[in-house]
């Protein structure tokens, strides 16, 4: 039989990262390619205890169908967490999703028609390009600078393209690790205020700030925006829970779209996560993750500075799980990838993260999922490959 797939499927490449991860599954390879949290941070024991309690005390409820919007106490937890950071979000404005990735899909579903203009950062989160890409928009991008998006270019792009959405990751961005300063956050809110472009703020890493000053999300200055969050980096990615907050009018459409997709997210998982977050020492758990990632990040940054040639640059993230390396002009990270694989070390070539006109001399490195020993060996091997490529 000849399957005739929808045209849109031809427009979205399979995730380049997934293809690369296949190559790097070999346990002999030191991989900085994936985007995995450190499994040592998973609260196995606590989750096991909580799961038993939930099943024993509320098993019939937990295993039944439930509401699309999500488990109310979990929505309240999200709302209270925002209140503590100075952002007013009512529990009714929170929709629980299967990871923030589903939130991105739902946003695409309710807003995008074919050929609609969508603005993203340059570079941007690859799986957002995939998610929105299925709705066949036209992507435009605005450069990222050290402390956030280039606001002048953003303003120009808003006038020139009149985009439906502007998608950004203001905290410890995937892939660059870059974070917006407070000034940039306010400027972004200022230029978007009064426009018809919906700001889609993706914030899965906000709680993982291990240095520097914490700032509120842009939504604190731009109420009409859509803000996504995730339990993946604070509890576990395998539980597949996240959320999306939006004004009532948008929430109504999101709920309809989620209903059509999957009726609701797993109530059992929501009850487990809620009980864990409300009854266990979550602040201590978050501190543990932050200090773990900080030492991994410090080690990787200092080794890169010592071992890589001087004309190679890297970002110095204040949180999250990634840093971004820029090779000298004209060097190709894809060629470096081939050479590094021979040395049994892997990363993600940066070209995958561009919506348009990729920059070929960039690469993404994950620091959260490698031991100190692997970081040390891996960076030294990578330095050798870079010098070899420079010859
Ligand atoms: N957005 C960004 C920027 C991410 O890096 C990720 C995780 N790779 C996600 C969304 C999706 O996370 P999840 O679905 O696990 O919440």
């Amino acid at each position: 039989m000849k399957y005739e797939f929808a045209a849109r499927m031809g427009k979205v490449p399979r995730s380049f990262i997934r293809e690369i991860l296949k190559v790097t599954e070999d346990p002999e390879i030191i991989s900085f390619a994936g985007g995995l949290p450190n499994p040592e941070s998973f609260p196995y024991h606590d989750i096991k205890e909580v799961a038993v309690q939930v099943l024993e005390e509320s098993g019939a409820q937990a295993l039944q169908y439930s509401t699309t919007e999500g488990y109310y106490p979990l929505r309240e937890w999200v709302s209270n967490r925002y209140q503590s950071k100075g952002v007013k979000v009512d529990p009714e404005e929170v929709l629980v999703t299967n990871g923030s990735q589903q939130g991105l899909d739902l946003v695409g579903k309710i807003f995008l028609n074919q050929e609609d203009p969508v603005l993203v950062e340059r570079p941007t989160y690859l799986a957002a390009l995939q998610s929105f890409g299925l709705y066949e928009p036209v992507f435009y991008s605005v450069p990222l600078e050290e402390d956030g998006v280039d606001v002048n270019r953003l303003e120009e792009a808003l006038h020139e393209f009149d985009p439906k959405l502007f998608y950004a990751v203001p905290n410890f961005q995937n892939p660059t690790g870059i974070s917006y300063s407070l000034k940039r956050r306010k400027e972004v809110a200022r230029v978007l205020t009064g426009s018809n472009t919906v700001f889609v703020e993706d914030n899965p890493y906000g709680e993982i700030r291990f240095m520097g000053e914490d700032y509120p999300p842009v939504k604190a200055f731009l109420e009409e925006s859509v803000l996504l969050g995730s339990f993946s980096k604070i509890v576990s990615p395998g539980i597949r829970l996240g959320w999306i907050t939006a004004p009532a009018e948008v929430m109504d459409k999101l709920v309809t779209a989620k209903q059509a997709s999957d009726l609701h997210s797993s109530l059992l998982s929501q009850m487990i996560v809620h009980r864990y977050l409300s009854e266990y020492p979550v602040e201590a758990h978050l501190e543990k993750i932050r200090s773990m990632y900080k030492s991994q990040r410090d080690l990787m940054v200092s080794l890169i500075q010592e071992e890589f040639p001087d004309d190679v640059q890297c970002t110095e993230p204040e949180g999250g799980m990634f840093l971004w390396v820029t090779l000298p002009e004209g060097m190709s990270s894809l060629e470096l990838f081939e050479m590094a694989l021979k040395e049994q070390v892997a990363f993600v070539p940066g070209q995958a993260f561009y919506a348009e006109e990729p920059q070929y001399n960039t690469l993404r490195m994950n620091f959260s999922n490698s031991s100190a020993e692997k970081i040390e060996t891996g960076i030294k091997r990578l330095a050798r490959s870079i010098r070899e490529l420079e010859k």
Side-chain angles (χ1 to χ4, degrees):
M1 135 143 224
K2 186 175 176 301
Y3 294 108
E4 298 217 357
F5 292 110
R8 72 180 82 91
M9 293 311 297
K11 296 190 179 164
V12 179
R14 280 195 57 158
S15 165
F16 188 57
I17 297 189
R18 299 250 172 284
E19 300 300 319
I20 282 180
L21 287 181
K22 271 193 223 152
V23 184
T24 60
E25 265 166 17
D26 177 350
E28 295 298 309
I29 291 183
I30 296 179
S31 178
F32 303 126
L36 306 183
N38 192 327
E40 283 174 35
S41 75
F42 297 156
Y44 303 97
H45 184 72
D46 296 348
I47 294 289
K48 183 177 150 196
E49 265 180 17
V50 169
V52 171
Q53 288 163 8
V54 167
L55 285 167
E56 279 179 358
E57 291 171 28
S58 329
Q61 181 193 358
L63 298 178
Q64 189 54 282
Y65 279 121
S66 178
T67 54
T68 304
E69 289 83 350
Y71 182 50
Y72 197 79
L74 187 62
R75 299 166 72 201
E76 271 180 324
W77 185 91
V78 171
S79 157
N80 290 337
R81 191 88 191 161
Y82 282 130
Q83 305 279 10
S84 74
K85 291 175 191 288
V87 191
K88 203 189 149 308
V89 172
D90 290 333
E92 285 73 19
E93 293 171 321
V94 177
L95 169 67
V96 179
T97 54
N98 292 326
S100 45
Q101 193 64 36
Q102 184 184 38
L104 293 175
D105 178 55
L106 297 179
V107 166
K109 204 170 253 173
I110 69 163
F111 281 115
L112 297 179
N113 292 317
Q114 225 176 6
E115 307 291 317
D116 274 348
V118 168
L119 203 57
V120 297
E121 296 166 308
R122 174 181 170 78
T124 186
Y125 172 47
L126 171 62
L129 292 177
Q130 246 187 336
S131 252
F132 298 149
L134 277 170
Y135 302 100
E136 303 176 85
V138 181
F139 288 110
Y140 299 98
S141 53
V142 207
L144 264 184
E145 298 179 325
E146 236 169 67
D147 61 345
V149 74
D150 179 334
V151 178
N152 291 332
R153 299 282 289 277
L154 172 62
E155 209 164 5
E156 281 167 18
L158 291 177
H159 287 126
E160 193 176 344
F161 307 120
D162 192 16
K164 264 273 181 71
L165 309 175
F166 170 43
Y167 168 76
V169 186
N171 282 321
F172 327 119
Q173 193 225 29
N174 178 2
T176 60
I178 286 174
S179 247
Y180 289 29
S181 63
L182 184 60
K183 184 163 168 264
R184 288 287 162 126
R185 288 168 202 249
K186 290 183 175 167
E187 283 173 352
V188 167
R190 177 182 56 79
V191 299
L192 283 162
T193 299
S195 82
N196 280 330
T197 300
V198 177
F199 183 50
V200 181
E201 180 172 22
D202 192 7
N203 187 24
Y205 304 105
E207 297 280 4
I208 317 295
R209 176 181 281 283
F210 41 66
M211 58 209 288
E213 202 180 329
D214 200 16
Y215 303 125
V218 175
K219 189 174 171 75
F221 315 109
L222 187 66
E223 257 182 44
E224 288 171 317
S225 64
V226 169
L227 170 60
L228 298 105
S230 176
F231 295 107
S232 292
K233 279 62 188 200
I234 57 178
V235 183
S236 135
I239 287 182
R240 301 306 307 126
L241 285 179
W243 67 87
I244 178 164
T245 76
E249 195 184 340
V250 177
M251 186 56 62
D252 188 53
K253 297 283 186 282
L254 288 170
V255 170
T256 307
K258 182 165 164 78
Q259 239 157 31
S261 283
D262 62 359
L263 303 182
H264 65 82
S265 296
S266 153
L267 181 58
L268 175 62
S269 304
Q270 294 182 67
M271 290 176 81
I272 291 172
V273 167
H274 170 257
R275 190 154 184 158
Y276 169 68
L277 291 171
S278 22
E279 293 182 11
Y280 284 68
V282 169
E283 283 313 322
H285 173 66
L286 290 175
E287 270 313 309
K288 183 178 142 190
I289 301 176
R290 292 179 192 126
S291 87
M292 196 183 277
Y293 290 9
K294 179 175 189 304
S295 48
Q296 290 171 297
R297 171 266 189 215
D298 285 351
L299 182 63
M300 190 177 271
V301 168
S302 66
L303 281 161
I304 286 177
Q305 286 167 348
E306 280 162 31
E307 302 283 336
F308 283 12
D310 290 343
D311 50 4
V312 176
Q313 287 162 0
C314 91
T315 55
E316 297 181 31
E318 295 188 334
M321 310 194 322
F322 304 102
L323 58 80
W324 187 245
V325 173
T326 307
L327 302 170
E329 201 77 39
M331 250 171 117
S332 154
S333 64
L334 209 53
E335 272 179 59
L336 180 66
F337 180 75
E338 303 286 332
M339 294 179 68
L341 263 194
K342 290 187 193 130
E343 292 263 3
Q344 298 197 304
V345 52
F347 55 82
V348 186
Q351 68 192 69
F353 300 97
Y354 294 87
E356 44 178 3
E357 296 169 25
Q359 205 180 319
Y360 292 96
N361 62 334
T362 53
L363 48 131
R364 188 191 78 176
M365 306 269 284
N366 165 261
F367 50 79
S368 59
N369 191 36
S370 301
S371 64
E373 200 187 342
K374 284 199 167 156
I375 292 177
E376 192 151 349
T377 314
I379 296 295
K380 285 185 177 159
R381 289 185 193 170
L382 203 49
R384 264 205 306 275
S385 299
I386 295 174
R387 290 188 196 281
E388 193 60 28
L389 192 62
E390 273 192 330
K391 275 185 191 165

